[in-house]
Amino acid sequence: MSEHRRKPPQPQGGGRAAARRGQSGSSSGRRAAPRGATGSPSDSYGSDSYDSGGEERQYGGRAEARRAAQRSTGGGRRRAAEPTQGGRRAGPGGPNGPGRGRGRVAAVPDKNRLIDYPRAGKYGWQRWMPSWKLVSGLCIGFFGSLVAVAGIGYAMVGVPNEENAAALSQNNVYYWEDGSQMVAAGSGQNRQNVTIDRIPKAMQWAVISAENKTFYQDRGVDPAGIARALANMARGGDTQGGSTITQQFVKNTYLSQEQSLTRKFKEMFISIKVGTKVPKRVILQGYLNTSYYGRGAYGIQAAAQTYFGKEAKDLKPNECAFLAALLKGPTYYDPAGNDGIDSSATREANTKRAKVRWSWILEQMHNDKRITDQQYQDAIKNFPKLQGRKATKGMTGQIGYLADTAKKYVLNHSNITEKQFDQGGYQIKTTFDKDKVEALAKAVKKVEKEKLDPEKRELDKHVQFGAASVKPKDGAIVALYGGAGYEKGHFNNNADTSGVPVGSTWKPFVLAAAMEHGTYRSDGPLSPLSKYNGNDHLKVRNNDGSYVLKKDNTPFFQENESDHPWGYISLHKAMEQSVNTPFVQLGMDVGMRNVRDVAEKSGILDGSFATLNPSFALGTSTPSAIRMADAYATFAAAGKQAAPYSVTSVKFNGEEVEGFKPPRITQAMPENVANNVTETLENVIQNGTGKNALALGRTAAGKTGTTDENKSAWFVGYTQQLSTSVAMFREDPKSAKLLSMNGTAGEESIHGGDTPTQVWTEYMKAALKGETDPGFPEAEKIGEIQDAVGAPTPTPTPSVEPSERVTESPSPTPSESTTTPSPSPSDTCGFFGCEDDGGAQNGGTDNGGTDGGVSPEPTPTDTNLDGGNSRGNGNGGIFGGPEG
């Protein structure tokens, strides 16, 4: 074993212990000999005992070196500075004297260092802990830099001499599909400035109490609010919470609405200058005159006239609080609703939000002693009565609805806010064809004049129409009819509104689902020649053979329009005559979720679907006319689907705005499924309930739909060039509830095959004038014939298989009704519910119906709404967002 690995013998003097005792004894006058001084072999550890010069080390280790250094200075703290040699501190005997050691001792601070970091003279964590001098110096430097930057920014940014373009009057210009101008409309006609003395004190204090309580004390900015706003903006949130009234005035008057750090800092510096130089009354006056209150109204004077029909000076405290509430965002606080812009901004939701904020503002005004106790009590009891929307210049006839549809599309396909849009300056090119729009309006007016006489017949009052026309394989909306016009007080766009059930026009989606997915009993797609029981008043079966039950556990019965004994008829025939019972049972066999999936892929929006129950197959859902026309366009295009759109380009200050390319086209269903649906719907026009459409004189397909009590009637039809939907309904102008059309036009009842089909035919004649008649692609045979449970086994005959176009004769006797006991009257259900269940409590609501009326919606026990065969069931939906 080498020498340096062998354990050295213990020295005679006791080794390290003796050395320690010697050290401890040094305080009594005796100093222990340092290791190595005795010459003993144990005083060295191999080659480490010698320095580079070959001399023996005077100290055996770091500990002895530190202790010796302490003794040489009286045992106190290490001296910060000692003479060194080669980076080692010299001992008391000089560089090579007996005090020299290799211990890790304090380094000598360099007085030439500007920043003493890492700290000299410190060890361990203390070496990396900055001193209070360093910390305080850095803080002073940092805040000094901020002050310098702020000072430079304050000096460089001046208050603009003129208002920015956004604060001036501008119009939005809409163009027809051919590039000609449709209308110029915007904020230019709806803004007036008033002086502060003509703005009620209640309005001034309502805004201050709600938005900036320290307005008269602050200097234009709120540092804490700015910090919150910057943090929110960094997280992608709203920045308005950090703005004082002065800042909002500056933004409205001098700056753009861009949300960026640069704009925010510029706003802050200008606000500081404005806050110190401009009187507060002038700032408040400017803010109230430049703020946006919704409905195209800029400024307090325009807002007072728009919402209350009065001058600003005549506003009452409760009205002032309401207008102050609108400043938080009129899209969400205008009780008239803006659900076309945002589905959460419905009339009901907006009214609720407005009332909550209105009452809160009144409470803040009361707490701030801005209104008396009596004024508060009078105001809080009376939510103000608002005027309806009014037509602006140029927004008459169908123009208002066209512009409204295009505006919604722009807002839903860009980052443009409603406030920015209403400030004007946009050029919007639409898909609307002027000639087709005029032809559709003319068709409605012609039929109204022929059929309706509201002056003589009470039941002819409040009848409305909604219609839309869409290009298959494209999705472009070429025409729509929204109502009588803004100038006549009708502001709801009937072409782009939900709430009107579509009835039997929904049945093609049920048939398409059967041909694509099959049923729980089939091994594949179902043929439209499959037979189902078409008799009236039938029980509906679950997939396990049990009957669907109502809430009281009694059987659910489905009704037809009449008690005609159809017997077992093909689905092709049931579609032709719009018989309800076969399609309810078919929907159960296919699975209502599969039906929903097919409808969604065809273009129906998620928000318009009704509850999945047996009545779902009969059209309880409420899509808009635009969406129904677009969904049927999917059949016309052999299964290709494109979301409806109404804008092809948007420009602002001459620059193109991104996001307005035509929607992509998808294959929503197999081509042959769509073609077979088309062939079935051709037969509806040729032999069934849509015969009035034969007057078109060209190949077409379509389906009628009528809800129970005639609350709505539809016809949706198409050629390869156009798909058009027409809805007709009565609505209570006060409650917006649907009313029965029984007796309307002097008829016992209104059906989809009557007035709506007549409007459709008149329009399509004009819209397709001069166009060729390409017909439809030939449909190939699809699926296997799988008759419903209980169908009689056909007797083999030498006759050929019947053509799908053969008109079947009804069975002389309903087979199922002869085996099913006739229920008591209390079991019979109409659209509004069962007598024994108290009307519509079982789901028989306004949202549904078919040509024969919908039975109440049951609460299924084992109802297989998903279907027994879920092959190919996709996620559904292709393009979200509001219509057109």
Side-chain angles (χ1 to χ4, degrees):
M1 182 179 291
S2 62
E3 180 66 25
H4 71 279
R5 290 182 181 274
R6 183 181 302 114
K7 183 177 181 181
Q10 294 295 326
Q12 296 296 322
R16 298 181 184 179
R20 286 195 295 272
R21 287 192 297 270
Q23 290 175 7
S24 62
S26 62
S27 60
S28 60
R30 291 179 298 172
R31 295 187 60 176
R35 183 180 297 170
T38 64
S40 170
S42 64
D43 291 328
S44 65
Y45 295 97
S47 60
D48 259 355
S49 301
Y50 302 92
D51 64 12
S52 58
E55 295 185 58
E56 288 190 20
R57 185 187 299 175
Q58 297 302 311
Y59 293 54
R62 297 177 182 177
E64 284 87 349
R66 287 196 294 272
R67 286 191 288 271
Q70 290 172 357
R71 286 195 300 273
S72 66
T73 58
R77 294 184 177 179
R78 300 186 189 92
R79 285 178 298 175
E82 285 268 359
T84 60
Q85 175 72 15
R88 300 171 182 170
R89 196 174 77 177
N96 296 315
R100 183 175 179 273
R102 296 189 62 192
R104 194 172 66 186
V105 296
V108 179
D110 187 350
K111 295 183 179 180
N112 294 324
R113 293 172 69 189
L114 179 63
I115 299 176
D116 182 20
Y117 192 81
R119 297 174 67 189
K122 301 292 183 182
Y123 296 90
W125 63 270
Q126 291 180 326
R127 179 171 171 78
W128 302 100
M129 189 71 178
S131 65
W132 67 269
K133 293 181 180 180
L134 177 61
V135 172
S136 59
L138 289 176
C139 289
I140 292 172
F142 174 74
F143 287 109
S145 299
L146 286 182
V147 171
V149 170
I152 295 172
Y154 182 81
M156 293 180 64
V157 175
V159 178
N161 294 323
E162 297 180 355
E163 294 179 334
N164 68 353
L168 301 176
S169 297
Q170 294 191 77
N171 287 325
N172 291 320
V173 183
Y174 296 85
Y175 299 91
W176 295 103
E177 180 270 340
D178 63 4
S180 60
Q181 182 172 317
M182 179 196 303
V183 67
S187 61
Q189 293 87 15
N190 199 16
R191 177 179 173 187
Q192 302 174 41
N193 289 341
V194 292
T195 56
I196 193 69
D197 59 297
R198 294 180 62 82
I199 301 174
K201 287 288 185 180
M203 186 67 215
Q204 299 177 38
W205 288 119
V207 171
I208 293 172
S209 293
E211 299 191 24
N212 187 187
K213 290 180 181 291
T214 61
F215 171 68
Y216 279 108
Q217 290 78 43
D218 63 42
R219 294 184 175 272
V221 296
D222 176 11
I226 292 175
R228 289 194 304 271
L230 293 176
N232 288 339
M233 187 160 58
R235 294 193 298 266
D238 185 15
T239 61
Q240 177 146 355
S243 299
T244 62
I245 287 176
T246 304
Q247 286 176 270
Q248 293 181 61
F249 164 67
V250 168
K251 181 173 64 175
N252 292 344
T253 307
Y254 302 116
L255 302 174
S256 71
Q257 302 298 311
E258 174 191 10
Q259 296 290 348
S260 67
L261 286 173
T262 301
R263 206 274 300 152
K264 198 69 182 176
F265 278 115
K266 193 173 182 180
E267 171 195 305
M268 179 178 65
F269 290 131
I270 295 176
S271 297
I272 293 173
K273 285 193 173 183
V274 169
T276 55
K277 296 181 179 180
V278 179
K280 290 290 187 178
R281 284 170 55 84
V282 175
I283 294 173
L284 184 60
Q285 171 185 296
Y287 172 63
L288 292 172
N289 278 324
T290 58
S291 293
Y292 181 60
Y293 296 81
R295 301 190 188 181
Y298 279 85
I300 185 63
Q301 178 74 356
Q305 292 172 339
T306 297
Y307 289 95
F308 303 112
K310 61 173 64 175
E311 299 288 313
K313 64 182 179 63
D314 298 324
L315 291 170
K316 298 177 181 178
N318 63 333
E319 296 168 335
C320 293
F322 170 78
L323 294 179
L326 289 175
L327 294 175
K328 189 170 178 64
T331 298
Y332 302 98
Y333 289 87
D334 181 357
N338 288 281
D339 53 343
I341 297 173
D342 190 322
S343 59
S344 66
T346 62
R347 183 178 301 180
E348 295 76 15
N350 279 17
T351 300
K352 182 178 180 181
R353 276 190 289 261
K355 288 184 176 180
V356 170
R357 184 158 180 82
W358 166 80
S359 61
W360 177 82
I361 291 174
L362 286 174
E363 182 181 356
Q364 295 302 306
M365 294 172 68
H366 183 237
N367 293 342
D368 296 341
K369 308 298 183 184
R370 304 307 181 187
I371 54 177
T372 65
D373 292 345
Q374 187 60 50
Q375 287 176 319
Y376 174 72
Q377 293 299 328
D378 292 341
I380 201 68
K381 295 176 183 178
N382 298 292
F383 186 76
K385 184 178 181 180
L386 310 178
Q387 289 190 138
R389 295 179 182 270
K390 292 183 178 180
T392 56
K393 183 179 179 181
M395 293 294 193
T396 58
Q398 297 307 301
I399 299 299
Y401 305 118
L402 298 174
D404 175 68
T405 301
K407 173 184 175 179
K408 290 176 181 178
Y409 190 85
V410 170
L411 298 184
N412 280 286
H413 292 80
S414 69
N415 293 323
I416 301 169
T417 67
E418 185 181 17
K419 179 179 180 180
Q420 290 171 331
F421 188 87
D422 285 348
Q423 284 174 334
Y426 293 91
Q427 296 85 45
I428 305 100
K429 185 177 181 182
T430 72
T431 61
F432 304 127
D433 184 311
K434 183 178 181 181
D435 292 337
K436 289 182 174 60
V437 169
E438 292 176 350
L440 185 53
K442 185 177 180 180
V444 173
K445 296 302 180 185
K446 178 181 179 181
V447 175
E448 279 185 329
K449 186 176 181 180
E450 291 177 359
K451 297 272 191 177
L452 305 177
D453 191 349
E455 293 183 2
K456 293 182 179 180
R457 285 190 296 264
E458 183 69 23
L459 292 174
D460 286 3
K461 293 181 178 179
H462 313 308
V463 175
Q464 299 183 33
F465 289 87
S469 193
V470 173
K471 282 185 180 180
K473 298 182 182 178
D474 183 281
I477 306 170
V478 297
L480 57 80
Y481 181 84
Y486 287 2
E487 72 277 15
K488 295 186 177 180
H490 186 84
F491 289 90
N492 290 330
N493 185 350
N494 291 344
D496 190 16
T497 188
S498 60
V500 182
V502 296
S504 288
T505 58
W506 196 257
K507 289 174 182 174
F509 301 122
V510 183
L511 181 61
M515 290 192 289
E516 181 176 355
H517 299 290
T519 70
Y520 75 100
R521 298 174 58 242
S522 67
D523 294 327
L526 195 71
S527 168
L529 294 180
S530 301
K531 293 185 177 181
Y532 273 70
N533 195 334
N535 290 329
D536 182 41
H537 194 67
L538 293 183
K539 296 177 183 178
V540 181
R541 296 178 184 270
N542 293 307
N543 291 173
D544 62 2
S546 63
Y547 291 116
V548 176
L549 302 178
K550 298 184 297 185
K551 290 182 179 179
D552 60 0
N553 288 324
T554 58
F556 166 74
F557 288 89
Q558 178 58 53
E559 309 296 329
N560 289 330
E561 180 182 11
S562 71
D563 59 359
H564 186 86
W566 291 104
Y568 279 85
I569 56 174
S570 71
L571 296 171
H572 188 273
K573 181 67 176 180
M575 186 75 75
E576 173 194 297
Q577 298 298 321
S578 200
V579 186
N580 290 341
T581 48
F583 285 97
V584 171
Q585 189 60 62
L586 178 64
M588 296 296 294
D589 294 349
V590 173
M592 295 300 177
R593 292 193 184 277
N594 283 332
V595 175
R596 185 188 191 281
D597 179 65
V598 167
E600 189 170 29
K601 287 183 177 179
S602 299
I604 303 300
L605 292 179
D606 178 75
S608 61
F609 287 116
T611 304
L612 297 184
N613 55 37
S615 296
F616 180 77
L618 300 181
T620 54
S621 297
T622 59
S624 69
I626 291 175
R627 284 288 166 173
M628 284 301 288
D630 183 65
Y632 270 52
T634 304
F635 299 136
K640 293 181 175 62
Q641 208 283 328
Y645 69 101
S646 58
V647 175
T648 57
S649 71
V650 176
K651 290 184 179 181
F652 182 69
N653 292 334
E655 297 292 329
E656 196 81 23
V657 178
E658 295 182 357
F660 297 99
K661 293 181 179 179
R664 65 187 181 94
I665 298 174
T666 63
Q667 191 71 35
M669 65 182 68
E671 183 175 329
N672 199 36
V673 169
N675 291 341
N676 271 273
V677 170
T678 294
E679 186 175 69
T680 303
L681 297 186
E682 281 186 84
N683 185 56
V684 171
I685 291 178
Q686 292 167 358
N687 302 304
T689 57
K691 280 185 177 181
N692 284 335
L694 286 172
L696 177 61
R698 63 173 62 226
T699 306
K703 182 69 186 76
T704 59
T706 310
T707 58
D708 191 67
E709 292 193 18
N710 294 158
K711 290 191 173 182
S712 63
W714 289 72
F715 184 76
V716 188
Y718 55 90
T719 65
Q720 279 210 58
Q721 297 101 325
L722 281 180
S723 175
T724 303
S725 65
V726 178
M728 177 181 177
F729 56 94
R730 286 186 72 215
E731 184 179 69
D732 186 329
K734 295 182 179 180
S735 65
K737 291 183 179 180
L738 296 181
L739 303 172
S740 173
M741 290 190 291
N742 286 336
T744 295
E747 301 288 341
E748 183 179 347
S749 60
I750 296 293
H751 292 80
D754 299 329
T755 306
T757 303
Q758 188 175 344
V759 171
W760 182 90
T761 305
E762 289 290 334
Y763 162 70
M764 293 290 277
K765 280 182 181 179
L768 297 173
K769 187 176 182 179
E771 298 282 346
T772 60
D773 182 2
F776 294 110
E778 190 69 26
E780 300 177 3
K781 179 181 177 181
I782 189 170
E784 298 295 329
I785 297 176
Q786 179 79 59
D787 295 338
V789 174
T793 303
T795 303
T797 64
S799 61
V800 296
E801 182 179 277
S803 166
E804 291 190 22
R805 298 189 184 279
V806 174
T807 302
E808 304 173 29
S809 299
S811 172
T813 57
S815 55
E816 183 168 323
S817 64
T818 59
T819 58
T820 303
S822 178
S824 64
S826 63
D827 289 333
T828 303
C829 303
F831 179 68
F832 286 99
C834 305
E835 296 177 9
D836 59 340
D837 284 337
Q841 66 179 354
N842 287 329
T845 65
D846 291 346
N847 298 326
T850 63
D851 291 346
V854 173
S855 297
E857 300 172 357
T859 302
T861 51
D862 294 315
T863 302
N864 188 347
L865 297 174
D866 290 326
N869 188 341
S870 59
R871 294 189 305 278
N873 198 14
N875 293 327
I878 44 181
F879 295 103
E883 321 298 356

